[in-house]
Amino acid sequence: MSDTPFGFGLPPEEPENGDEGKKKGNQGGQGGPNPFGFPGMGLPGGAGGADNPFAAMFGSMNPNDLGAAFQQLGQMLSYEGGPVNWDMAKDIARQTVAQGTADGVKDTSVGVAEKSAVEEAVRLADHWLDGVTSLPSGATTAVAWSRAEWVEATLPVWKELVDPVAERVGAAMGGVLPEEMQAMAGPLLGMMRSMGGAMFGQQIGQAVGTLAGEVVGSTDIGLPLGPAGKAALLPLNIEAFGKDLSVPAGEVRLYLALREAAHARLFAHVPWLRSHLFGAVEGYARGIKVDTSKLEDVVGQLDPSNPEQLQEALQGGMFQPQDTPEQKAALARLETALALVEGWVDAVVHEAAKPRLTSADAMRETMRRRRASGGPAEQTFATLVGLELRPRRLRDASRLWASLTDARGVDGRDGLWEHPDMLPTASDLDDPDGFVHREQLDFSEIDKMLGEAAQKSERGKPDTQGEQGGQGPAGDAGSDGSDGSDGEGGTKK
């Protein structure tokens, strides 16, 4: 679990990690009061820098920018939409992308040659996957995106993912104030809602914009962020990803196309999977509660007419969500499901790539280390949802899927995706051999039994009606002139 709940900035203290931590600590120390936990939002000394989420919106704060800055501040305070200011999120994400990555690489439009190379890689990857999985192709088209195009294409799914969490946090923040104080602080609460929407919007925009400079496709975080049926790769990021690998660029692109195409198959042909993952996020949101003990300590000292005092209370964690059992259970479900998705993809892709790519082992290890070192997937989930994926679970899941392939074959392995109750659990990841050799549940037999029971129930209904109302209309008799009885009290079919 992340120590920084969704939508809340880090406290103004020096973090643990080296030079960057000192940089953040220095910024926090230069400013005055830090409203809503935004880093660097004090005096002008903390206004700039990558750690200031408003830097992308306000620029370098020179005199020529002040007019635009105050105009955007007015728009922020007048926002009356949902829990997240998605217009602000989109603007900040696009501006973050336009600034380029830390290594100075700027976003560029995708050329014709790059589009053709991506299409060919996905086509070949799908052909290879046909021999290692029973799930058919899930990609009707292959697309090559720039970073800005990735932002545009994935924002609708980010909205679906984040809104439940942001809405619950916002409701929890507003609901902890006593009713009489809510009446007194009506206008202030309205400003708080606007600021809350901006707070979530800037954080999401910053995270998504940064992520756009790192991802290589639309499924890097284990969720289908792009439109259904599209396998998407980012040529610019793929080039940066393979720069120091000593692997031919074509093999890097093909290996990543295998991963993208494998994800596409899974999400296209396991209809319950997407809602299962997003449902776990919503379950996490429902478990959000606010610790009212801090509120009780300071509520008598708060002056609703003094916004700065309320801002200081917010900064001090007055509304910080608690880590509840409901949240832990929901995040455990999400973590296990994501591990199973990523483990299946890892196992299937390796089986397809091993005989054909000399770099298959190296690429596999590179992807695993990327996860273990806290890649974009882990960082984004930790920031937006509060979840930190455990790389150990991904390796365990991959080993389990590989063992299932050996024991039950491709069809037996992939058949487990037919129903969520058939999938391995977190405890099964601890004992993969026990799960692999466990007697398989035959859900087709259960469905058959339920169907037969339903038919018997239906056959009994007309007989009950006949006993109550006597003989039915003449039209109810059999077409051969009989009374329609099957000799056992039922009705002929």
Side-chain angles (χ1 to χ4, degrees):
M1 290 289 296
S2 171
D3 292 331
T4 307
F6 174 87
F8 290 83
L10 291 171
E13 60 186 26
E14 184 170 333
E16 300 173 355
N17 50 333
D19 294 338
E20 186 173 348
K22 294 176 182 178
K23 178 182 176 183
K24 292 181 182 178
N26 290 340
Q27 285 184 344
Q30 291 172 353
N34 185 352
F36 299 96
F38 292 153
M41 281 298 292
L43 297 174
D51 293 323
N52 179 0
F54 282 87
M57 182 174 67
F58 287 166
S60 59
M61 292 300 290
N62 61 55
N64 294 330
D65 295 330
L66 286 177
F70 281 113
Q71 182 180 4
Q72 292 195 32
L73 181 61
Q75 294 173 352
M76 178 179 67
L77 293 177
S78 62
Y79 173 72
E80 296 180 351
V84 177
N85 189 331
W86 285 102
D87 291 335
M88 175 179 287
K90 179 179 177 180
D91 289 344
I92 291 180
R94 291 294 299 264
Q95 292 174 34
T96 302
V97 165
Q99 292 172 1
T101 51
D103 56 5
V105 177
K106 301 282 187 178
D107 192 23
T108 58
S109 299
V110 179
V112 175
E114 291 172 319
K115 291 180 180 179
S116 178
V118 166
E119 291 171 357
E120 176 62 20
V122 172
R123 183 198 65 77
L124 184 56
D126 249 342
H127 176 66
W128 289 359
L129 289 172
D130 285 339
V132 297
T133 175
S134 61
L135 299 180
S137 174
T140 56
T141 56
V143 293
W145 283 341
S146 66
R147 295 166 179 171
E149 288 172 327
W150 183 90
V151 169
E152 294 281 353
T154 62
L155 269 180
V157 180
W158 285 117
K159 187 176 188 298
E160 184 179 353
L161 176 68
V162 170
D163 264 351
V165 182
E167 185 173 358
R168 187 68 188 93
V169 169
M173 288 174 64
V176 294
L177 288 178
E179 188 173 346
E180 58 273 15
M181 175 170 266
Q182 291 187 28
M184 294 173 59
L188 181 59
L189 289 175
M191 185 190 74
M192 284 178 57
R193 282 190 292 269
S194 297
M195 289 295 293
M199 177 176 66
F200 293 129
Q202 61 82 20
Q203 183 174 353
I204 294 163
Q206 189 88 357
V208 171
T210 301
L211 192 61
E214 301 174 348
V215 295
V216 295
S218 68
T219 55
D220 280 34
I221 68 167
L223 290 173
L225 295 179
K230 285 190 177 181
L233 295 176
L234 282 71
L236 182 62
N237 292 357
I238 291 175
E239 181 182 354
F241 175 82
K243 185 177 180 181
D244 300 321
L245 295 182
S246 299
V247 176
E251 287 199 14
V252 173
R253 180 170 53 246
L254 187 49
Y255 189 87
L256 297 177
L258 280 166
R259 289 183 54 84
E260 182 76 5
H263 278 103
R265 288 183 182 229
L266 198 56
F267 285 108
H269 300 292
V270 182
W272 55 265
L273 181 57
R274 187 181 189 277
S275 60
H276 179 74
L277 292 169
F278 280 75
V281 177
E282 292 181 3
Y284 167 83
R286 287 193 298 270
I288 291 176
K289 291 181 174 62
V290 172
D291 184 0
T292 58
S293 61
K294 290 186 178 180
L295 175 64
E296 293 172 356
D297 294 337
V298 299
V299 69
Q301 305 173 18
L302 281 179
D303 180 2
S305 65
N306 185 352
E308 290 184 1
Q309 190 179 17
L310 181 57
Q311 290 171 359
E312 291 174 2
L314 284 168
Q315 180 187 352
M318 187 178 77
F319 293 112
Q320 182 168 323
Q322 295 175 294
D323 184 12
T324 65
E326 294 85 354
Q327 286 176 288
K328 289 180 179 179
L331 291 181
R333 290 195 302 271
L334 180 59
E335 180 185 63
T336 300
L338 285 171
L340 291 174
V341 168
E342 291 300 286
W344 183 88
V345 168
D346 178 80
V348 167
V349 166
H350 187 70
E351 189 177 353
K354 179 69 173 175
R356 299 176 174 95
L357 298 179
T358 57
S359 61
D361 289 332
M363 289 295 300
R364 185 188 206 186
E365 189 59 30
T366 297
M367 295 301 298
R368 287 180 166 181
R369 288 181 179 177
R370 192 180 191 223
R371 287 301 184 101
S373 62
E378 289 75 31
Q379 293 168 3
T380 300
F381 267 94
T383 299
L384 298 184
V385 182
L387 168 68
E388 291 181 354
L389 294 177
R390 289 180 294 172
R392 179 178 62 83
R393 298 283 81 180
L394 302 181
R395 289 180 181 267
D396 292 344
S398 180
R399 284 195 293 268
L400 187 148
W401 288 118
S403 298
L404 282 168
T405 307
D406 294 337
R408 303 184 186 180
V410 169
D411 290 341
R413 177 199 66 198
D414 294 347
L416 294 178
W417 290 106
E418 292 180 2
H419 194 280
D421 290 344
M422 298 176 68
L423 286 179
T425 64
S427 59
D428 292 326
L429 294 180
D430 295 326
D431 181 22
D433 290 338
F435 178 84
V436 168
H437 299 293
R438 187 183 307 159
E439 184 177 352
Q440 295 177 251
L441 292 174
D442 191 343
F443 277 78
S444 62
E445 288 298 320
I446 296 177
D447 291 340
K448 182 179 178 182
M449 292 171 59
L450 292 174
E452 291 175 351
Q455 289 178 2
K456 289 180 181 179
S457 177
E458 289 296 323
R459 284 200 301 268
K461 288 181 180 178
D463 178 64
T464 302
Q465 292 172 352
E467 289 178 356
Q468 292 177 347
Q471 187 173 355
D476 288 347
S479 59
D480 59 356
S482 68
D483 61 3
S485 170
D486 64 1
E488 296 181 359
T491 301
K492 264 187 184 176
K493 300 291 178 186

